Amino acid sequence: GDPKSILKGRVVAVALLAAYHYAFGFSKGFGVAVICFLLLALPWMMRSALRFRLRNTSYRVLHFDFAGSLVGAYRTYFPVMLMFFLPTVILALYPTQIKWIGAVFLLYLIWPLLHARIKRYQQSHLEYGSSRATYSVSTGEFFAIYFFAALIGFFAVVMAGIVTALVTVGLTAKTGGSTWSTIIPIAMMLFVSYAAFLLAVPYLQARIYNLVWSNTGFPNVEIKSELRDLAYIKLQIVNSILTLLTVGLYRPFAVVRIYQYRLAHTSVNTTIAFDQLLAGERKRAGGATGDSAAGFLGFDLSW
């Protein structure tokens, strides 16, 4: 990709984050205006970022592309952005109406539905040369994975609560209710809750990655992803520990290890020779990279 376009995307991303965090500090009207702008702009920007990344990606000389429409981007991303920004707006405009904020957070129960729609929009509009991708995953399959991930997290937290309660009772009996009898159980609860997060989230990521890519294909091309749950969870736990111990310096290496693991367990099979696929490449006027870097058409937000 063009470094200038990438830099432009980074600048835009930082500006958007700054506007989001500090808008209501100026005035409520300015804050609402910024939120409205973000709601209108972000779906377009997400589509632009997808086009940029894919048009600057190739495999065996054959370029990728993204053919999702702008209307499709708004249908897909606008509900997600609305769900994300609503709590902020309500808290800023009506700080005493906590019940409304709680009601808005109930919308996160439909996140598996929104996630499924995002993946459908992304995967079904992939292009490889002149071939359009096919994608066949139902929303119910997303809900099933999220349900089992939630069960893993729930049971881990319940076990943490039981252990914490037992430790609290034991410490209180021995120390007579000292400060440590309060601090230690709280620390244990936080630690085990984070451990539950490290179990549930990698499981969710691995299962969804397998589901999405194993059901994405192109004419005469089959993709298969076979990430192993336990191995992926172990990898993510090690990455998290090393990232914490190095105060974030290990993070780039962790990202590389994750990509290496994913690619090592992803296979691409074809029913015809790759030479035949290359022969069907579509010739784009001006080239994909030049188009994606032209003006404000394409840039990478790094999101």
Side-chain angles (χ1 to χ4, degrees):
D2 183 356
K4 293 180 181 178
S5 294
I6 296 174
L7 176 61
K8 181 170 60 179
R10 301 295 190 275
V11 172
V12 170
V14 171
L16 291 176
L17 287 173
Y20 171 68
H21 282 292
Y22 300 110
F24 283 100
F26 292 97
S27 70
K28 291 182 178 180
F30 181 71
V32 171
V34 168
I35 295 297
C36 290
F37 170 77
L38 291 175
L39 284 172
L40 293 175
L42 284 175
W44 173 79
M45 291 180 180
M46 297 299 288
R47 173 177 175 264
S48 181
L50 284 168
R51 296 176 71 189
F52 179 88
R53 289 190 176 192
L54 284 163
R55 291 182 176 188
N56 287 283
T57 302
S58 63
Y59 180 65
R60 296 196 181 185
V61 191
L62 201 59
H63 277 274
F64 288 87
D65 199 352
F66 184 73
S69 68
L70 189 57
V71 173
Y74 277 94
R75 286 176 178 171
T76 302
Y77 292 110
F78 188 82
V80 176
M81 303 302 172
L82 191 63
M83 183 179 70
F84 179 78
F85 289 128
L86 266 180
T88 300
V89 174
I90 293 175
L91 185 61
L93 298 180
Y94 309 102
T96 60
Q97 300 297 322
I98 304 298
K99 61 181 181 180
W100 291 112
I101 298 175
V104 170
F105 275 112
L106 291 176
L107 292 174
Y108 282 89
L109 293 175
I110 65 169
W111 170 246
L113 168 64
L114 299 180
H115 194 183
R117 292 182 62 187
I118 289 172
K119 287 301 178 183
R120 178 168 295 279
Y121 175 70
Q122 292 175 348
Q123 302 297 115
S124 62
H125 293 99
L126 297 177
E127 289 187 352
Y128 182 51
S130 59
S131 300
R132 174 72 67 88
T134 57
Y135 179 70
S136 56
V137 175
S138 67
T139 303
E141 292 174 283
F142 268 78
F143 272 100
I145 293 175
Y146 270 93
F147 176 75
F148 284 111
L151 280 183
I152 292 173
F154 175 76
F155 283 117
V157 171
V158 168
M159 293 302 298
I162 294 173
V163 172
T164 301
L166 293 175
V167 171
T168 302
V169 171
L171 287 174
T172 302
K174 288 184 178 181
T175 63
S178 67
T179 303
W180 287 108
S181 65
T182 303
I183 295 176
I184 292 178
I186 292 175
M188 286 183 59
M189 189 66 182
L190 291 174
F191 174 79
V192 179
S193 297
Y194 184 64
F197 173 82
L198 290 179
L199 289 174
V201 173
Y203 168 84
L204 183 70
Q205 291 173 339
R207 286 301 178 100
I208 287 182
Y209 191 86
N210 286 343
L211 176 68
V212 168
W213 283 107
S214 294
N215 288 278
T216 300
F218 296 88
N220 302 307
V221 177
E222 180 188 57
I223 303 171
K224 189 71 175 177
S225 176
E226 298 176 300
L227 303 188
R228 295 191 291 271
D229 298 342
L230 293 179
Y232 194 73
I233 290 171
K234 179 181 176 182
L235 174 62
Q236 291 283 36
I237 290 174
V238 171
N239 283 344
S240 297
I241 292 173
L242 292 176
T243 300
L244 289 172
L245 292 176
T246 59
V247 199
L249 294 177
Y250 187 75
R251 178 60 184 168
F253 301 95
V255 173
V256 170
R257 290 186 66 192
I258 291 170
Y259 275 105
Q260 287 176 334
Y261 182 81
R262 287 177 177 177
L263 291 174
H265 292 82
T266 302
S267 59
V268 178
N269 303 307
T270 63
T271 57
I272 60 175
F274 251 99
D275 290 341
Q276 293 176 267
L277 290 175
L278 292 172
E281 181 177 6
R282 183 176 61 199
K283 302 297 181 182
R284 300 186 182 88
T289 303
D291 179 49
S292 66
F296 218 63
L297 180 60
F299 53 85
D300 186 8
L301 287 171
S302 264
W303 292 352

